[in-house]
């Protein structure tokens, strides 16, 4: 892996490997998550693809992609702490599998760069902007279809009401209609000018083969990068807030947001990772072994850290009449972890779970990208071997100390109708 | 051990049949951090009868999968936790698989996997406990629009084929399960000659074979008897729908595959031809799919799959639309047009695209190993779906469009949004 600063706030990380049958190139743009731009940013990931760069429209772009052996050009938006990430990626079959000697790697890189940059001279076709606005609205509305992720989203909204992190990376439904093609172009120009740019490649090409065309394209841009801070530690609430939400569901979805007091850039974070794994990561965690196995209350019960905000999310699918016992058991297991009731086996299992997952990251280009982006936005410069080493050094006492101030902030319950509390 | 090399792919498959009848497959892959192993039995939710003719409770293959992790003194998850493996299992329509991925202690993990598969441990207590857990799993799927849409489709397509049964069964059907039932299923279907093992990752095939031979010692073999119900050519219902809390209608359009070939090279070819047909209808750059998107009928590209296995097959196109019936009609018209007026350029592009997709399946150790086992059960090799493209002609595709993508075999399954009052 080689990572260099190609230009001010334009970082390129390239991994040359023959592991995969495909190459992946991703271009991610990061800037402040803001109510003025989050909707337009989400729309950009769709409109860029929809306009198809110099090819003029989506159908022409898709025809070209299918000729390139079904190359996949995908857009993505993410929220990492108080930063919104928007990007396009292109996964192409490696050159050696081309049946007529085509240089797929070169063609696909040119294609991706064209899709991103052609609008700067062409503008955005109003008909395409119009269509993609409708599609974005439908996508935002459809977030409720996956009940588990919807619960996490809503819990976050209530936990951070009035704060930046409550904003959705997919945008605000009520703000879509007002976006004009010009306003969208202005937004794109601004993002290109001030945003942090992360370039990521994983495939068979050499570093030079990748760096050269990328440097050429991006150095043509006028850049005035503005640093955006992703890390923004959540402050604990005085009393737990419980938010029931009615929806016609067969099974209630319980989501709990907790503040931990430790963000990813802090020394204690690896210890918190271990404590979280003991508590709710994997099939030997306290949540799995008790809420699921011992009490048969659910099929899934787990916890997950968000390192930029310094929070933890716990989620479980539970029968309505078992909500109270489930909440109580989750609280009990948290207290148990905080009290240091951790056996040697639990502790070892937690470390092994984490180190295995970290080592496994290298087998997935998209997971590798996500890790790099997350660490870059935490300013740690930490590599996977670094993090593995830090985790291995964590002692039981350090893990207990790290989770000491974790406390429940918000409980969100998706349920069919009101239950007498 | 048999060594099958595919130079173009840059992959080598090692295959052997052990003395006890087990099919062993190894695909060494350099440079991967994970090594993945899976052992599967050719027994799934479609297998509803025991050899003695008894009808099993629905969902038992899946229930059995959950229970195989129990042990007399400790469960398999606790053992894997010490060796650092990420272990899991799954049940599909026609097989049950037990697996792990690890980055260390490979032999210890293989030992745990083969121990759990040979030494089941069922008690009244641990069976009762699992009913609560699986009950919640079933309820979780009850809220999943894609899952409900799929089983709606299958119930519309099949009169008798047991592929329409929910893989986990129902809360009622699993309440009938006892240790005795689990033992009977285990003894009927968990035999080496009915099973396959595959490892993918940085490993030595000979060493793997030795390991498996050493650890898999307590599994007697015996032939497996199966029965399948008669299935008419017709579908049950051309339109099926249910209501759930979704933002807009979710749909699946399915075409019933009445061609009886579901194994061997002929099936590999049928699958590839089907996938090309689907790509020509709804794939990137396909006029029909692009038209649907442009006209605002679908807000995202159609998702397509040829869902097939032991004696069942459905070509499916799905997504979201405010007018699913119109999407179906558009697709039927496009299929008919393509069948009668072959589009050579679209065919070539779609073939290329599907070829690219077949290569992608070699990127992940998990997917590759699961595919290898599946193809072993279907009497083919995991390389065949890639190499078959050379043989496929425009005529193959036209024939398939004519015989398969037709109104008579077409079912539309829709999940409609629940009414306003219900979601408030």
């Amino acid at each position: 892996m080689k990572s260099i600063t190609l230009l001010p706030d334009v970082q390129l990380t390239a991994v040359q490997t023959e592991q995969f049958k495909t190459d992946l190139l991703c271009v991610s743009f990061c800037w402040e998550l803001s109510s003025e731009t989050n909707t337009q940013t989400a729309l950009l990931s769709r409109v860029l693809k929809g306009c198809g760069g110099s090819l003029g429209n989506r159908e022409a772009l898709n025809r070209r992609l299918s000729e390139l052996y079904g190359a996949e050009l995908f857009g993505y938006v993410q929220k990492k702490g108080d930063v919104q990430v928007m990007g396009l990626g292109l996964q192409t079959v490696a050159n050696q599998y081309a049946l007529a000697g085509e240089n797929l790697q070169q063609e696909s890189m040119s294609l991706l760069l064209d899709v991103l940059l052609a609008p700067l001279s062409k503008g955005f076709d109003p008909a395409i902007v119009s269509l993609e606005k409708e599609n974005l609205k439908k996508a935002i509305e459809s977030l409720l279809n996956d009940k588990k992720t919807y619960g996490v989203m809503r819990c976050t909204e209530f936990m951070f009401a009035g704060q930046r992190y409550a904003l959705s990376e997919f945008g605000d439904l009520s703000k879509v209609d007002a976006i004009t093609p010009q306003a969208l172009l202005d937004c794109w120009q601004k993002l290109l000018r001030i945003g942090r740019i992360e370039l990521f490649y994983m495939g068979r090409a050499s570093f030079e083969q990748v760096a050269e065309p990328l440097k050429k394209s991006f150095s043509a841009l006028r850049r005035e990068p503005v640093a955006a801070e992703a890390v923004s530690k959540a402050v604990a609430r005085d009393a737990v807030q419980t938010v029931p939400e009615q929806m016609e569901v067969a099974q209630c979805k319980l989501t709990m947001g907790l503040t931990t007091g430790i963000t990813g850039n802090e020394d204690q974070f690896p210890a918190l990772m271990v404590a979280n794994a003991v508590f709710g990561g994997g099939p030997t965690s306290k949540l799995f072994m008790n809420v699921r196995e011992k009490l048969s209350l659910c099929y899934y019960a787990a916890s997950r850290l968000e390192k930029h905000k310094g929070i933890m999310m716990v989620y479980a699918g539970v029968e309505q009449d078992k909500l109270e016992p489930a909440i109580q058991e989750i609280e009990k297991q948290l207290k148990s972890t905080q009290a240091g009731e951790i056996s040697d086996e639990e502790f070892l299992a937690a470390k092994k779970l984490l180190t295995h997952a970290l080592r496994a990251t290298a087998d997935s280009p998209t997971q590798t990208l996500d890790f790099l982006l997350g660490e870059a936005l935490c300013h740690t410069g930490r590599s996977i071997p670094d993090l593995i080493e830090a985790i291995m050094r964590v002692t039981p006492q350090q893990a207990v100390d790290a989770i000491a101030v974790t406390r429940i902030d918000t409980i969100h319950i998706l349920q069919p109708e009101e239950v007498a509390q | 051990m048999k060594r099958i090399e595919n130079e173009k792919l840059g992959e080598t498959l090692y295959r052997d049949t052990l003395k006890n009848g087990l099919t062993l497959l190894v695909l060494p892959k350099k440079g991967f951090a994970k090594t993945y192993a899976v052992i599967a039995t050719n027994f799934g939710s479609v297998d509803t009868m025991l050899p003695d003719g008894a009808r099993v409770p629905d969902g038992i293959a899946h229930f059995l999968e959950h229970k195989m992790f129990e042990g007399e003194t400790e469960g398999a998850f606790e053992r894997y936790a010490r060796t650092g493996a990420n272990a899991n299992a799954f049940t599909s329509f026609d097989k049950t698989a037990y697996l792990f991925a690890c980055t260390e202690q490979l032999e210890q993990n293989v030992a745990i996997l083969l121990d759990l598969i040979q030494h089941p441990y069922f008690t009244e207590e641990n069976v009762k406990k699992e009913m609560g857990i699986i009950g919640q799993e079933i309820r979780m799927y009850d809220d999943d629009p894609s899952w409900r849409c799929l089983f709606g489709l299958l119930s519309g397509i099949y009169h008798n084929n047991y592929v329409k049964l929910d893989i986990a069964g129902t809360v009622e059907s699993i309440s009938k399960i006892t240790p005795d039932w689990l033992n009977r299923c285990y003894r009927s279907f968990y035999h080496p000659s009915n099973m396959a093992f595959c490892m993918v990752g940085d490993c030595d095939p000979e060493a793997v074979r030795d390991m498996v031979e050493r650890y898999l010692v307590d599994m007697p073999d015996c032939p497996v008897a199966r029965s399948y119900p008669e299935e008419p050519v017709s579908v049950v219902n051309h339109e099926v729908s249910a209501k759930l809390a979704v933002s807009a209608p979710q749909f699946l359009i399915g075409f019933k595959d009445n061609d009886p070939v579901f194994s061997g090279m002929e099936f590999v070819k049928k699958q590839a031809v089907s996938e090309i047909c689907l790509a020509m209808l709804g794939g990137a750059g396909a006029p029909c799919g692009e038209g649907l998107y442009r006209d605002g009928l679908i807000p995202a590209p159609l998702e397509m799959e040829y869902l097939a296995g032991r004696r069942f097959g459905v070509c499916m196109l799905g997504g979201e639309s405010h007018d699913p019936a119109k999407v179906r009609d558009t697709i039927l018209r496009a299929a008919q047009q393509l069948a009668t007026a072959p589009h050579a350029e679209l065919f070539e592009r779609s073939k290329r695209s599907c070829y690219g997709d077949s290569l992608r399946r070699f990127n992940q150790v998990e997917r590759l190993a699961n595919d290898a086992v599946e193809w072993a059960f279907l009497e083919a090799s995991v390389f065949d779906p890639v190499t078959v493209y050379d043989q496929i002609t425009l005529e193959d595709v036209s024939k398939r469009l004519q015989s398969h993508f037709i109104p008579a075999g077409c079912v539309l399954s829709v999940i409609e949004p629940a009414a306003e009052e219900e979601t408030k």
Side-chain angles (χ1 to χ4, degrees):
Chain A
M1 179 179 297
K2 193 166 167 190
S3 191
I4 64 160
T5 305
L6 213 56
L7 296 157
D9 263 16
V10 180
Q11 192 73 13
L12 167 63
T13 305
V15 183
Q16 187 174 26
T17 177
E18 297 194 351
Q19 257 179 293
F20 311 106
K21 303 288 181 266
T22 50
D23 295 343
L24 177 70
L25 174 65
C26 286
V27 184
S28 310
F29 303 88
C30 315
W31 65 354
E32 190 179 67
L33 178 64
S34 149
S35 59
E36 273 146 38
T37 52
N38 67 329
T39 312
Q40 290 161 327
T41 306
L43 185 59
L44 274 171
S45 70
R46 295 167 173 271
V47 168
L48 285 166
K49 180 168 178 181
C51 287
S54 305
L55 292 170
N57 61 54
R58 187 194 168 89
E59 182 164 357
L61 174 64
N62 279 342
R63 267 206 306 272
R64 186 80 194 105
L65 291 170
S66 62
E67 280 164 15
L68 294 174
Y69 301 90
E72 280 175 12
L73 198 157
F74 54 95
Y76 51 93
V77 272
Q78 289 179 317
K79 183 165 64 173
K80 287 197 184 297
D82 285 358
V83 158
Q84 185 179 19
V85 180
M86 186 282 288
L88 289 191
L90 183 47
Q91 189 201 49
T92 334
V93 162
N95 283 354
Q96 71 182 80
Y97 303 107
L99 300 170
E102 306 97 305
N103 188 338
L104 300 173
Q105 186 264 320
Q106 204 174 72
E107 290 203 47
S108 61
M109 187 172 295
S110 306
L111 190 60
L112 182 59
L113 289 169
D114 179 66
V115 167
L116 288 168
L117 302 174
L120 295 177
S121 46
K122 290 181 64 170
F124 290 132
D125 181 330
I128 292 171
V129 172
S130 209
L131 179 64
E132 293 304 337
K133 276 163 63 173
E134 292 308 308
N135 291 337
L136 177 60
K137 286 196 291 188
K138 288 182 184 134
I140 293 170
E141 282 166 342
S142 76
L143 289 170
L144 64 82
N145 293 351
D146 180 337
K147 306 298 180 255
K148 181 171 153 188
T149 53
Y150 180 70
V152 172
M153 188 181 99
R154 292 292 278 160
C155 185
T156 305
E157 271 172 41
F158 288 108
M159 192 171 169
F160 293 95
Q163 298 174 52
R164 215 177 270 287
Y165 195 64
L167 295 169
S168 169
E169 64 266 47
F170 303 110
D172 184 335
L173 194 62
S174 66
K175 295 217 162 107
V176 180
D177 283 338
I179 303 173
T180 63
Q182 188 57 51
L184 192 64
L185 186 61
D186 290 344
C187 183
W188 182 220
Q189 284 168 335
K190 189 173 179 190
L191 178 53
L192 282 169
R193 194 174 75 249
I194 75 170
R196 181 192 173 85
I197 301 177
E198 288 279 343
L199 305 168
F200 177 77
Y201 174 82
M202 199 158 178
R204 292 162 193 245
S206 70
F207 190 81
E208 294 67 40
Q209 283 174 312
V210 173
E212 214 183 286
L214 289 173
K215 185 163 187 183
K216 192 157 170 236
S217 284
F218 285 97
S219 55
L221 296 173
R222 195 184 107 233
R223 298 265 303 152
E224 285 160 344
V226 171
E229 189 52 66
V231 175
S232 147
K233 193 183 294 189
V235 175
R237 193 182 296 271
D238 289 332
V240 177
Q241 64 170 347
T242 302
V243 187
E245 181 174 342
Q246 236 168 302
M247 190 182 282
E248 205 48 47
V249 286
Q251 178 192 68
C252 296
K253 309 299 184 236
L254 171 67
T255 314
M256 294 161 90
L258 298 85
T259 53
T260 66
I262 299 171
T263 49
N265 54 324
E266 292 181 80
D267 288 339
Q268 272 189 298
F269 190 73
L272 181 65
M273 286 176 76
V274 177
N276 177 63
V278 166
F279 173 55
T284 48
S285 69
K286 289 187 184 294
L287 287 183
F288 192 96
M289 292 300 279
N290 291 286
V291 189
R292 172 176 149 150
E293 288 298 304
K294 210 191 255 169
L295 299 174
S296 299
L297 291 175
C298 62
Y299 170 68
Y300 68 91
S303 67
R304 183 178 80 205
L305 296 174
E306 202 295 324
K307 61 191 175 201
H308 302 94
K309 297 300 292 178
I311 60 172
M312 177 195 288
M313 300 297 267
V314 173
Y315 39 89
V318 186
E319 210 57 29
Q320 190 157 34
D321 59 354
K322 299 286 196 293
L323 275 169
E324 259 320 301
I327 292 171
Q328 278 167 19
E329 188 61 27
I330 291 168
E331 287 173 347
K332 179 178 165 198
Q333 293 308 323
L334 176 61
K335 287 201 173 67
S336 173
T337 312
Q338 290 168 324
E341 288 161 12
I342 305 170
S343 69
D344 292 341
E345 291 203 331
E346 281 177 293
F347 193 67
L348 176 70
K351 283 192 171 184
K352 285 207 178 271
L353 181 95
L354 291 169
T355 53
H356 168 86
L358 284 167
R359 282 191 208 107
T361 306
D363 286 355
S364 164
T366 46
Q367 277 180 33
T368 303
L369 166 59
D370 198 59
F371 177 84
L372 286 168
L373 205 50
E375 291 298 306
L377 291 170
C378 264
H379 317 295
T380 58
R382 206 163 33 194
S383 69
I384 286 176
D386 290 339
L387 190 49
I388 290 174
E389 208 197 329
I391 285 166
M392 292 308 284
R393 278 187 269 121
V394 171
T395 65
Q397 190 56 53
Q398 284 171 334
V400 169
D401 290 343
I403 202 169
V405 300
T406 294
R407 51 192 271 190
I408 300 170
D409 181 292
T410 303
I411 301 176
H412 177 266
I413 304 166
L414 206 56
Q415 62 190 13
E417 75 250 346
E418 284 294 339
V419 181
Q421 290 289 311
Chain B
M1 279 190 100
K2 198 164 162 210
R3 186 175 178 276
I4 305 149
E5 188 175 345
N6 186 310
E7 260 187 72
K8 260 204 312 194
L9 265 176
E11 303 278 357
T12 307
L13 170 67
Y14 292 80
R15 190 191 165 115
D16 202 0
T17 307
L18 301 187
K19 277 194 287 291
N20 60 16
L22 179 77
T23 299
L24 182 94
L25 303 156
V26 183
L27 277 136
K29 265 172 116 46
K30 284 240 163 306
F32 277 81
K34 283 183 289 188
T35 303
Y36 179 88
V38 57
I39 185 162
T41 178
N42 203 356
F43 167 56
S45 60
V46 298
D47 298 297
T48 53
M49 307 277 261
L50 295 182
D52 62 14
R55 168 78 196 250
V56 302
D58 290 349
I60 196 160
H62 171 254
F63 202 106
L64 181 50
E65 176 229 299
H66 271 237
K67 290 330 303 167
M68 291 301 289
F69 283 82
E70 299 276 1
E72 200 162 341
T73 47
E74 67 177 344
F77 280 127
E78 283 129 300
R79 300 177 65 189
Y80 280 126
R82 288 196 292 273
T83 52
N86 181 1
N88 213 328
F90 66 85
T91 310
S92 71
F93 297 109
D94 53 12
K95 69 180 182 294
T96 314
Y98 303 84
L99 52 101
F100 69 79
C102 70
T103 52
E104 58 167 321
Q105 302 188 65
L106 179 62
E107 178 157 349
Q108 290 88 328
N109 289 310
V110 171
I112 297 169
L113 179 65
L114 297 180
D115 184 47
L116 79 81
I117 204 88
Q118 294 172 82
H119 303 125
Y121 180 71
F122 317 125
T123 66
E124 293 280 351
E125 195 200 328
N126 74 29
V127 166
K128 266 232 139 42
K129 177 201 70 149
E130 207 67 36
M131 285 179 196
I133 295 169
I134 293 178
Q136 285 312 300
E137 186 178 355
I138 290 168
R139 305 282 274 158
M140 179 185 81
Y141 280 110
D142 283 346
D143 284 330
D144 184 331
S146 310
W147 190 261
R148 294 283 301 273
C149 201
L150 173 63
F151 282 90
L153 179 71
L154 295 172
S155 73
I157 288 178
Y158 290 107
H159 295 267
N160 305 318
N161 191 321
Y162 292 116
V163 74
K164 67 181 177 170
L165 293 175
D166 195 305
I167 295 170
T170 62
V171 172
E172 292 79 6
S173 72
I174 66 173
S175 69
K176 311 278 191 300
I177 293 174
T178 59
D180 183 55
W181 268 121
L182 293 172
N183 272 312
R184 287 168 74 186
C185 284
Y186 179 84
R187 283 197 307 268
S188 304
F189 294 103
Y190 279 64
H191 295 291
S193 62
N194 194 40
M195 298 170 75
F197 173 98
C198 181
M199 184 176 287
V200 176
D202 211 331
C203 60
D204 169 13
E206 295 285 341
V208 173
R209 201 260 310 270
D210 290 343
M211 244 189 260
V212 175
E213 268 180 341
R214 256 184 297 126
Y215 290 110
L216 200 68
V217 290
D218 277 348
M219 276 195 116
D221 195 35
C222 95
V224 170
R226 295 184 203 277
S227 63
Y228 298 94
E230 283 295 318
E231 177 66 32
V233 163
S234 67
V235 302
V236 178
N237 211 329
H238 288 285
E239 289 187 7
V240 181
S241 77
K243 280 190 172 21
L244 272 184
V246 289
S247 60
Q250 311 292 311
F251 69 89
L252 272 173
I253 297 161
F255 293 93
K256 183 172 185 170
D257 189 351
N258 286 309
D259 174 285
V261 173
F262 287 104
S263 63
M265 212 40 216
E266 221 185 306
F267 173 63
V268 176
K269 189 171 176 189
K270 183 167 79 160
Q271 176 179 273
V273 169
S274 303
E275 285 171 352
I276 294 171
C277 289
L278 286 168
M280 288 173 73
L281 289 167
C288 174
E290 294 292 345
L292 288 168
Y293 187 93
R294 206 174 40 239
D295 295 342
L297 268 168
I298 53 175
L302 291 170
E303 285 174 28
M304 294 158 311
E305 185 183 349
Y306 174 52
L307 179 71
R310 193 154 33 92
R311 305 216 186 177
F312 68 91
V314 185
C315 275
M316 310 190 299
L317 302 98
E320 178 183 301
S321 178
H322 60 87
D323 194 344
K326 191 163 178 191
V327 176
R328 176 213 40 212
D329 296 340
T330 310
I331 287 169
L332 279 171
R333 255 197 320 274
Q336 207 217 5
Q337 239 179 333
L338 285 171
T340 50
H343 191 326
E345 191 255 330
L346 179 61
F347 164 68
E348 284 302 329
R349 265 195 284 129
S350 303
K351 190 162 99 157
R352 277 194 164 198
S353 199
C354 289
Y355 162 70
D357 285 346
S358 73
L359 290 174
R360 279 192 176 83
R361 298 188 81 89
F362 286 77
N363 280 348
Q364 296 166 316
V365 293
E366 298 89 343
R367 178 165 280 174
L368 181 55
N370 292 346
D371 282 356
V373 155
E374 175 134 0
W375 284 115
F377 287 154
L378 296 171
E379 296 167 40
S381 140
V382 75
F383 293 154
D384 293 336
V386 180
T387 58
V388 77
Y389 284 98
D390 292 335
Q391 301 167 30
I392 297 172
T393 65
L394 180 53
E395 203 191 321
D396 291 325
V397 161
S398 299
K399 273 206 192 112
R400 185 71 167 155
L401 285 165
Q402 267 162 25
S403 63
H404 182 63
F405 289 84
I406 54 174
C410 180
V411 174
L412 171 67
S413 170
V414 183
I415 301 295
E416 305 269 8
E420 267 303 305
E421 317 85 70
E422 289 166 37
T423 52
K424 204 171 324 251

